[in-house]
Amino acid sequence: MLVLKTLNFLAILAALVPASVAVPVKEERQTTVTELESYDYIVVGSGAGGGPLAARLAINGQKVLLLEAGDDQGETPQQSIPAFYPAASEYGPMSWDFFVRHYPDDAREALNQKATYTTPDGSTYIGLDPPAGSTLKGIWYPRTGTLGGCATHNAMITVYPHDQDWSLIQSLTGDSSWAPENMRQYFERAERNTYLTNFTDSAANGHGFDGWLGTDEAHLSLIADDTQMLSMIAAANSFEGTNPTANITDAESLGTVFPLDLNTAYPNRDSTEGLYRVPMHVSDGRRSSPRDFLLATANALNPDGSKKYQLDIRTHSFVTKVRFEESDGAEPRAVGVDFLTGESLYAADPRNAGNNAGTPGTVNATREVIISAGVFNTPQILKLSGVGPKAELEAFNISVVVDLPGVGTNLQDHYEISTVSKFETDFELLEGCTFLSTGPSDPCYVQYTTNATEKGPYATNLLPGAVLLKSSVASSDRDTFIFGGPVMFRGYFQGYTNAAIADTKHWSWVTLQAHQRNHAGTVTLKSANPLDVPSINFNFFDAGTTADGADVHDLQPMVEGINWSRKVSESVSGKYSFTEEQPGADITSPEQIQDFVKNQAWGHHASCTAAIGADSDPLAVLDSHFRVRGVKGLRVVDASVFPKIPGFFPVAAVFMIGEKAADVIIADNA
C-alpha cells in the first residue's frame, strides 16, 4: 500500500529548475475576450504529431499558430535529463493526471495494486486495502500539458513501426501513399541518427542523419562495466541471441551479441527475433523532442535579424471548441477555435484548484484547423464542438454539427506487465547515483554536467537491451517486446518514481504486447464543461473485445513474457542471489499467472480514438488525408488517427504521421 506523500526526489529537483525559460509565446491576460489576428493554420497541441506538423507548415511559408495548454519545461532536469523520465511524468508543472478504468466493475478494479482512492480525510491511498469509506478514483495514467507533449515525459524508446501498421491503412482506404515503402521516408526525414557512424553501411538503410529528432543508444561500456547487468544481458543472449554461446566479458564482446539495429530497414525485419539495443530519442545526452524542432523554427532569424518563419507559439492556451461556419446545403467549415488563457486550467492538472476560469479568447483560421491534442483530449474537443455521437452530444445539450459515432470509440493500448526481482548485491551502473536526492553534489549528476564525452548513466534511459519475440499466438510478425533495466518498476502509480530508484538492487523485465485485438475502449464526456476530464474506460481483456477469443489471444503473450523473464533470471541464480517480488513465488500455475496479468497489467500508449477508415465504415472519423468526415477545414493529426495501435512504441509512428500530414496538407491546399 501507499499513502501518497510529498515526493522528496521531485521536491529537490524543483529547486534546480531555472527561474525562467525563454519561449517565443504570445500571451495576453485581459478581462474581456482576446481576439487574435487570423492565421492560415491553427494547430492545437504540440506533441509528437502536432509539433512537427506546425513546424513543417511554417517552414513551407504558411502562417501558423500553435496553441499549447501548458508551458515550456524543456530546460528542467526532469524533462531534459534522459534518466529522469519517471520524474518528468510526476512533475507538477508539466503533468496531467488522468485516472482511468481498466474494468467497469469496482470490485474487479480493486484487485489492482495500483488502484487509487480518495480517503475520507481527503488523502490519497494506493493499494489493495483502502480505508473504509474511500472512493475509487481509478488507475493513474500520466499525460503531459507542456510544449512537446508526451514526447517530453516518455522513456524515449524509439522503435520503427511494423510495415503492417501502414499497409492496414492503405488497404482500408485504397490510398497508396500509406504503403510501407512510401512511409519510410518520413522516419528518415525526422531522424538525426548519432549512433551509426558509417552512413554508407547497410545498417544505415532506412535511417536519417540530418533531421530534427536526435537518436542514440546507451554506450556499451556502461553495461560492460556493471558485471551484474552484463550477466543479465548475457543470460538473455543465451536464450534469444544470434550468438548464444558468446563469451561476454567487455564492451567489445558485448557488441557481438547485438548484430542488428532495431530500426534498420532490412529484409524480414518485422519477423526477426533476437536481442537488440534500445534506440532513444536523445541527442548529446539530452532528451530530443518536437519541442526542440518547434523552438528552432519559431526562433529562426533571417540575416537581417527578422523572423524567418511565421510560427507563433502561444502557451497557457486551452482550446475549448472548434467554431464552424454553416450555410444551407453546404458542409460545415471549421473557421477557428475558442480558447481560455491561464495556468493550470484543466482538471487533470495537479495544480488545478478549481478557482481559475481563464480569460476567453478566439482566433480564426483562413485555411484549416488541425487538432493534435492527444488521444483523450482530441475526442473531447471534437465532441464539445458538436462533432461526435449524436446521442451523447444531445445528452449534454451540445448542438450537433455532424453525427460521427466513431469519435471517442476504438480506444486501444499496449498491455504491459513486469517481472521484478531484488538482488542481494547492487547493480554497479547506479552505485553512487542519488538522483539528486543529495542535491547537485550527486556524483552521477556531476559527471553528467561536467564530462563532455562520458556523461554516464543519466544520459540514458537505463534500459540497456530488449528481446523481440514471436509468441505462440503470433502471426508472421514478432509481437512481444521484453525490455529490462536496473529499476523497480511495477507499472504507473503516483509515487512510482521514488519506488523505482529507492535502491540499486532491483531488476525489472517488462513485457509489452503489440497488435492486440482489443478495441473496446472509450472516451466519453462527463459534462459539457471543457475543463472537466472525460471518462476513460479501456475495458481490458474479457471486459473488452472477446469475439473469436480475442481476450484469450491477448493474454497469451503476457503469460509467455513472464515465463521467459523468469527463465532468464533463474539462469543467473548460480552467480547472484535474488528474490522475485513480482509476480512472486506463490504465483506459478498458468491460471494464477493469467489472473495476475488481468489484475496488474497496465498501458501507457493510448491510441485510436478518431480513426482513419474506409468510406463505407460508419465508425471511421477521418479519411486517409486526416480530414474529419462531414465537415471541411478540420483535420486530426495525433495518435488518435490509427485504426489499430501501431508497433511496439507508437511515438515513432506519430512523429511520422506529423511529417506525412504536412505533405498532405500542403498538397491539398496548393
Side-chain angles (χ1 to χ4, degrees):
M1 59 81 72
L2 172 69
V3 177
L4 192 62
K5 299 179 180 179
T6 302
L7 299 176
N8 294 331
F9 170 45
L10 300 181
I12 292 170
L13 277 177
L16 299 174
V17 174
S20 63
V21 180
V23 186
V25 301
K26 290 191 172 183
E27 197 164 335
E28 303 170 30
R29 298 179 184 274
Q30 306 177 43
T31 57
T32 57
V33 174
T34 301
E35 295 185 11
L36 303 184
E37 62 184 75
S38 296
Y39 288 79
D40 297 332
Y41 296 95
I42 299 169
V43 179
V44 180
S46 63
L53 170 61
R56 290 294 184 200
L57 291 175
I59 291 170
N60 185 256
Q62 310 303 313
K63 185 180 180 183
V64 181
L65 174 65
L66 178 71
L67 294 172
E68 166 56 50
D71 59 16
D72 181 27
Q73 297 291 324
E75 297 302 321
T76 61
Q78 291 91 335
Q79 185 179 136
S80 62
I81 299 177
F84 287 11
Y85 63 89
S89 63
E90 295 198 75
Y91 181 47
M94 59 182 278
S95 66
W96 276 5
D97 298 336
F98 290 90
F99 290 89
V100 308
R101 298 300 297 260
H102 290 176
Y103 297 101
D105 178 64
D106 282 3
R108 190 167 187 185
E109 199 83 306
L111 298 174
N112 192 320
Q113 62 191 5
K114 300 177 289 298
T116 303
Y117 300 81
T118 300
T119 67
D121 66 5
S123 62
T124 295
Y125 174 90
I126 302 167
L128 300 174
D129 189 23
S134 296
T135 302
L136 178 65
K137 295 176 69 175
I139 310 300
W140 183 60
Y141 203 107
R143 301 284 86 183
T144 63
T146 193
L147 191 67
C150 287
T152 65
H153 83 157
N154 65 351
M156 297 152 288
I157 299 175
T158 308
V159 182
Y160 190 85
H162 293 66
D163 283 351
Q164 66 170 282
D165 300 323
W166 307 126
S167 59
L168 171 65
I169 300 176
Q170 179 187 10
S171 65
L172 288 174
T173 64
D175 185 343
S176 62
S177 72
W178 287 94
E181 57 269 23
N182 187 61
M183 290 301 297
R184 174 61 81 154
Q185 66 174 307
Y186 296 114
F187 183 78
E188 295 173 358
R189 179 189 297 178
E191 187 185 25
R192 186 177 70 258
N193 185 289
T194 63
Y195 63 87
L196 295 174
T197 57
N198 186 350
F199 299 171
T200 62
D201 186 81
S202 60
N205 188 30
H207 281 284
F209 296 92
D210 57 3
W212 55 268
L213 183 73
T215 59
D216 203 352
E217 293 177 333
H219 292 176
L220 291 177
S221 60
L222 289 173
I223 306 171
D225 290 345
D226 184 331
T227 55
Q228 193 162 271
M229 182 184 295
L230 194 65
S231 294
M232 294 298 285
I233 298 299
N237 176 67
S238 69
F239 289 106
E240 304 299 339
T242 57
N243 185 14
T245 60
N247 182 26
I248 305 171
T249 58
D250 54 20
E252 183 177 359
S253 56
L254 180 61
T256 65
V257 307
F258 298 110
L260 295 174
D261 174 72
L262 191 53
N263 292 330
T264 296
Y266 57 85
N268 303 314
R269 170 191 175 267
D270 294 349
S271 60
T272 301
E273 300 176 276
L275 178 65
Y276 295 84
R277 297 171 72 182
V278 180
M280 313 170 287
H281 53 90
V282 168
S283 180
D284 297 323
R286 288 174 54 94
R287 177 188 293 272
S288 178
S289 81
R291 176 228 180 224
D292 308 313
F293 191 22
L294 285 166
L295 293 184
T297 304
N299 289 329
L301 301 176
N302 292 309
D304 64 0
S306 60
K307 189 177 176 73
K308 187 173 183 179
Y309 303 117
Q310 298 181 87
L311 172 61
D312 288 335
I313 301 172
R314 185 183 173 96
T315 60
H316 293 145
S317 297
F318 184 90
V319 170
T320 58
K321 71 179 294 186
V322 179
R323 286 181 289 102
F324 292 93
E325 182 178 82
E326 300 184 64
S327 59
D328 292 341
E331 286 188 335
R333 170 173 286 278
V335 294
V337 301
D338 295 337
F339 61 90
L340 296 172
T341 298
E343 298 182 19
S344 303
L345 299 178
Y346 196 42
D349 191 312
R351 301 166 298 169
N352 175 271
N355 57 2
N356 183 4
T359 301
T362 186
V363 59
N364 290 333
T366 59
R367 290 193 169 180
E368 296 188 14
V369 174
I370 300 110
I371 307 298
S372 302
V375 173
F376 301 154
N377 294 94
T378 286
Q380 183 179 21
I381 291 172
L382 289 174
K383 291 179 179 183
L384 293 172
S385 306
V387 178
K390 181 180 180 181
E392 182 182 353
L393 303 187
E394 290 180 339
F396 293 105
N397 296 315
I398 298 171
S399 297
V400 179
V401 175
V402 59
D403 179 15
L404 278 184
V407 174
T409 68
N410 196 49
L411 174 63
Q412 300 172 39
D413 209 336
H414 286 136
Y415 293 127
E416 297 183 57
I417 196 70
S418 62
T419 305
V420 182
S421 299
K422 185 175 183 180
F423 286 72
E424 292 186 2
T425 49
D426 292 292
F427 284 91
E428 300 163 41
L429 174 71
L430 297 178
E431 276 192 308
C433 298
T434 69
F435 289 87
L436 287 175
S437 63
T438 56
S441 63
D442 171 5
C444 295
Y445 182 71
V446 171
Q447 179 184 7
Y448 176 80
T449 55
T450 61
N451 192 321
T453 57
E454 297 292 337
K455 292 181 176 293
Y458 286 179
T460 79
N461 60 4
L462 307 179
L463 302 172
V467 171
L468 277 66
L469 304 173
K470 295 180 188 178
S471 73
S472 63
V473 296
S475 57
S476 59
D477 289 348
R478 55 202 182 188
D479 65 344
T480 308
F481 190 105
I482 305 176
F483 55 104
V487 293
M488 195 283 283
F489 185 50
R490 300 174 182 265
Y492 296 98
F493 58 91
Q494 290 177 303
Y496 87 102
T497 301
N498 276 354
I501 60 173
D503 60 54
T504 56
K505 298 181 186 299
H506 279 87
W507 180 277
S508 299
W509 286 113
V510 181
T511 298
L512 180 149
Q513 179 198 0
H515 300 132
Q516 67 276 1
R517 297 182 180 181
N518 187 20
H519 55 86
T522 60
V523 177
T524 56
L525 296 177
K526 285 183 181 177
S527 75
N529 181 354
L531 299 182
D532 281 347
V533 295
S535 294
I536 302 161
N537 296 278
F538 283 94
N539 294 315
F540 272 18
F541 296 109
D542 54 289
T545 306
T546 58
D548 299 320
D551 55 320
V552 177
H553 173 280
D554 289 349
L555 191 59
Q556 189 59 29
M558 309 296 285
V559 172
E560 293 177 14
I562 289 174
N563 290 335
W564 183 92
S565 301
R566 285 175 156 176
K567 179 176 66 174
V568 171
S569 296
E570 185 62 30
S571 71
V572 302
S573 61
K575 189 174 183 180
Y576 299 101
S577 297
F578 67 90
T579 301
E580 181 183 288
E581 295 184 342
Q582 178 170 302
D586 57 333
I587 297 177
T588 56
S589 72
E591 294 77 17
Q592 288 175 321
I593 298 173
Q594 289 172 1
D595 285 343
F596 173 79
V597 171
K598 289 179 181 179
N599 294 334
Q600 307 305 334
W602 70 87
H604 191 51
H605 299 157
S607 303
C608 308
T609 53
I612 294 171
D615 293 342
S616 59
D617 182 357
L619 296 179
V621 178
L622 311 176
D623 68 9
S624 67
H625 284 219
F626 306 95
R627 293 177 293 215
V628 176
R629 294 177 180 274
V631 298
K632 294 182 178 179
L634 180 63
R635 306 194 201 222
V636 171
V637 182
D638 60 24
S640 305
V641 311
F642 297 106
K644 289 187 177 181
I645 185 170
F648 291 113
F649 293 84
V651 68
V654 183
F655 292 148
M656 292 168 66
I657 65 165
E659 293 282 358
K660 176 179 172 57
D663 280 2
V664 170
I665 292 170
I666 291 166
D668 285 350
N669 286 277

